[in-house]
Amino acid sequence: MQKIHRTTNLEIECFVHGALCYCYSGQCLFSSLIGGRSGNRGRCAQPCRLPYEAYDKDNHRMGEPGDRYPLSPKDMCTVELLPEIVKSGIMSLKIEGRMKKPEYTAGVVSIYRKYLDLYEKKPSRFHVLPEDMKKLYELYNRDGFNKSYYTVRNGRDMMALKNEKEQENKKKQRRNEQLFYEIQRDYIETEAKEPISGFLTLYPGQPAFLSAESGKYSVTAEAGMVEPAKKQPLTEERVKTQLEKTGETPFYFKELDVCMDDNCFVPMQTLNELRRGVSDQLVKEMTEPYRRKAAEKPEQEAKASGKPDQENRAEKKMELTASAETRAQWNALLEIPEITTIYAGMGCFKREIFEEQAEKGILQAKELGKQVYLMLPHVVREGDLKEYRDTFRCLKEIGLGGFLIRNLESFSFLKEMGMEKDIRLDYSVYTYNSRAQAFWQEQGVQRDTVPYELNEREIGKRDNTNSEMVVYGYLPMMVSAQCVQKNLNGCNHSYSLVRLKDRMGKYFPVKSYCTSCYSVIYNSLPLGLVKEADEIRSMHPAAVRLNFTIETLEETKEIAAAFAGTYCKGIAVPAEQEYTKGHFRRKVE
């Protein structure tokens, strides 16, 4: 965080308290694929908080008794780290409160405000009182707190594996009602309103007139006609009482002067209209400077959003590409003549002799008329790719086509090497709209990948002529710094494949990528767009891709041959394998 502050001109906000996601931000498809509600669009149904059983490769149950929540992190609490966070150059603190009660919001914010003020005034006396930590704990927690990734990379201590809070609820342990009562009294049942000054004039034969001021803002309102009183004239006290009923408006009259005839009358409704009139105008005046204005589409966006004509589309033949993460999958894909490009994961070649094996693989594929692209990791931390700098240059010289990247760190690394024109973007690099596509085209990248959360209608409206579309593969639902293997059975410092079983009896493969220290949770069924081949052709992608992750050599060979037959020869695939269609037929919230 300090480095980001030192090297950029950006104002930085950091997350300091509340619920933690198991998945990297923007990479979670779990909620959308399972329930149609996208966590990436703020509609997460929180499937990570449900119970799962974990099994190793030998089908043994993993973890300790009661470890039923392997995807549920404890809540973050960093109030004790505020001095270090402030020193790092952070400008704003974010407290998570999605779907929480008002008491939680008021209580947590008040405690963080208290200690920010204390640190600002007397930094040498900064100390968080035990009673305030207790209040935070009682407002809401999941099996206690953790300091999140500020102090560790991952680990069992960050996880609410047993969900002790659920057990407490079963025992009917009551919350601290006194604490909640005090918060309601001090924060929730009070109203914060802006003071305004008002001036009212009421004279028979003229409209009722009210002006109001707040700071530099001044507005006026007229309503109805003032009449001579037929029976009982209005008194100044009665008029003030009515106007000061500001109700749910964000204002109150700090001063209200009334200039009126001794013998006049207006309906109370007229006074209400005046009050609403000045309130609405003040809100508009005050908020107008902060309203976002719709930006005009830049020229490159307008160009990118335009559909290529049918003639140009017809000239391009749709390619078939495939990705492999194991040596066995790589060998199987070499045997499929219709596949023009293989995206080879770093695990296809042994780390100790990576350059030697990769060079042989590239030359072997070249003889078979295929291009090879290296598929870089989902997660790249600082320095992770440094050892490959010279290797990448050498492989490019002997015929490497380029790189399939999943993140901005990989792009930055390759751009520094002058290889930005050798890049293809995977689904996880944002290209949902035409402006994003135009940006990447300006950077010189070769292609992007159609995002997984778009459905057939949305894909049909998209310009796919420079895109690949995945038509087969286990979709990655979560990419995480956490590791099921490590948290339940300890880190074995090597590749591992475990399975999570949900309440419905479905199994989700979890693959650990130990060289980069992250894990990926895949869907229980692979995506398989077989019968949709003609529709996909009409969407004119540059290529369709098969993604292989956990398949054996024989499975890879059989599936690749079947999809090659469908997409390249028009041969129907037998409906033996069970597939999901992902979001192709289903909208996502």
Side-chain angles (χ1 to χ4, degrees), residues 409-427:
E409 291 81 4
S410 297
F411 175 77
S412 178
F413 177 80
L414 293 171
K415 185 176 181 179
E416 287 176 7
M417 295 177 63
M419 291 185 168
E420 62 268 29
K421 296 188 186 307
D422 303 316
I423 290 174
R424 293 181 178 180
L425 309 176
D426 206 354
Y427 75 97

Side-chain angles (χ1 to χ4, degrees), residues 307 310 313 318 456 459-462 464-465 469 532-541 544 567 584:
K307 289 281 191 175
Q310 297 296 330
R313 285 175 162 181
M318 189 175 70
E456 57 180 322
I459 298 171
K461 291 181 177 179
R462 188 179 185 273
N464 304 306
T465 53
M469 185 169 174
E532 296 75 19
D534 288 338
E535 285 180 73
I536 291 169
R537 286 191 193 94
S538 71
M539 296 171 179
H540 303 285
V544 290
Y567 277 89
F584 191 76

Side-chain angles (χ1 to χ4, degrees), residues 362 372-374 376 385-386 388-405 409-425 440 442-447:
I362 292 166
V372 176
Y373 279 66
L374 280 178
L376 301 189
L385 296 177
K386 188 179 289 186
Y388 294 101
R389 191 181 297 273
D390 293 336
T391 298
F392 288 173
R393 285 198 176 100
C394 292
L395 295 178
K396 192 72 180 67
E397 288 176 6
I398 62 105
L400 178 71
F403 306 88
L404 181 70
I405 69 167
E409 291 81 4
S410 297
F411 175 77
S412 178
F413 177 80
L414 293 171
K415 185 176 181 179
E416 287 176 7
M417 295 177 63
M419 291 185 168
E420 62 268 29
K421 296 188 186 307
D422 303 316
I423 290 174
R424 293 181 178 180
L425 309 176
W440 286 112
E442 288 175 3
Q443 305 309 306
V445 302
Q446 297 176 1
R447 289 180 185 171

Side-chain angles (χ1 to χ4, degrees), residues 178-395:
Q178 180 62 29
L179 171 62
F180 277 72
Y181 165 75
E182 291 173 359
I183 291 172
Q184 287 170 347
R185 180 197 63 200
D186 296 341
Y187 298 104
I188 298 171
E189 293 175 359
T190 61
E191 288 187 281
K193 294 193 172 193
E194 288 290 316
I196 59 176
S197 300
F199 181 75
L200 174 73
T201 59
L202 298 176
Y203 286 99
Q206 297 180 17
F209 181 88
L210 176 65
S211 64
E213 293 182 1
S214 179
K216 64 180 181 179
Y217 302 100
S218 178
V219 297
T220 61
E222 290 184 6
M225 292 294 292
V226 182
E227 301 173 359
K230 294 180 180 178
K231 294 182 181 178
Q232 189 173 358
L234 279 178
T235 63
E236 182 176 329
E237 182 181 0
R238 178 74 179 93
V239 169
K240 280 189 173 183
T241 299
Q242 189 65 26
L243 281 178
E244 287 173 349
K245 294 178 180 178
T246 50
E248 295 183 0
T249 70
F251 307 106
Y252 73 94
F253 282 105
K254 184 178 180 181
E255 297 176 358
L256 178 58
D257 294 326
V258 177
C259 187
M260 60 184 290
D261 191 272
D262 291 337
N263 188 42
C264 68
F265 174 80
V266 290
M268 294 299 105
Q269 183 179 348
T270 299
L271 297 178
N272 293 341
E273 287 179 24
L274 288 172
R275 184 181 61 239
R276 281 196 301 270
V278 295
S279 175
D280 291 347
Q281 288 184 66
L282 279 172
V283 168
K284 185 178 180 181
E285 291 280 334
M286 290 177 168
T287 58
E288 189 63 33
Y290 304 99
R291 292 186 185 279
R292 296 187 197 175
K293 302 215 171 25
E296 293 183 9
K297 284 189 176 183
E299 186 177 337
Q300 69 270 23
E301 181 182 356
K303 184 178 179 181
S305 63
K307 289 281 191 175
D309 59 50
Q310 297 296 330
E311 185 178 340
N312 289 339
R313 285 175 162 181
E315 289 176 2
K316 291 187 177 181
K317 183 180 178 182
M318 189 175 70
E319 297 178 46
L320 177 65
T321 67
S323 69
E325 292 193 355
T326 67
R327 191 70 178 179
Q329 293 164 0
W330 161 272
N331 290 331
L333 296 178
L334 287 175
E335 296 183 24
I336 309 299
E338 292 84 3
I339 292 175
T340 59
T341 300
I342 299 177
Y343 298 105
M346 304 288 276
C348 288
F349 313 112
K350 291 183 179 178
R351 188 168 186 174
E352 301 79 14
I353 51 173
F354 183 88
E355 185 174 338
E356 178 185 338
Q357 282 199 341
E359 184 175 335
K360 287 181 180 177
I362 292 166
L363 295 175
Q364 182 186 14
K366 197 172 182 180
E367 289 178 5
L368 296 169
K370 303 182 190 300
Q371 270 195 318
V372 176
Y373 279 66
L374 280 178
M375 188 165 57
L376 301 189
H378 285 276
V379 176
V380 173
R381 299 180 180 88
E382 187 174 22
D384 280 1
L385 296 177
K386 188 179 289 186
E387 65 180 287
Y388 294 101
R389 191 181 297 273
D390 293 336
T391 298
F392 288 173
R393 285 198 176 100
C394 292
L395 295 178

Side-chain angles (χ1 to χ4, degrees), residues 84-102:
E84 290 91 337
I85 291 172
V86 172
K87 288 176 189 175
S88 70
I90 294 301
M91 307 295 289
S92 173
L93 306 182
K94 179 182 178 182
I95 294 172
E96 184 275 336
R98 179 176 180 262
M99 299 174 68
K100 296 294 196 302
K101 294 182 182 298

Side-chain angles (χ1 to χ4, degrees), residues 50 110 112 268 426 453 571:
L50 297 174
S110 66
Y112 273 80
M268 294 299 105
D426 206 354
E453 282 193 331
I571 301 172

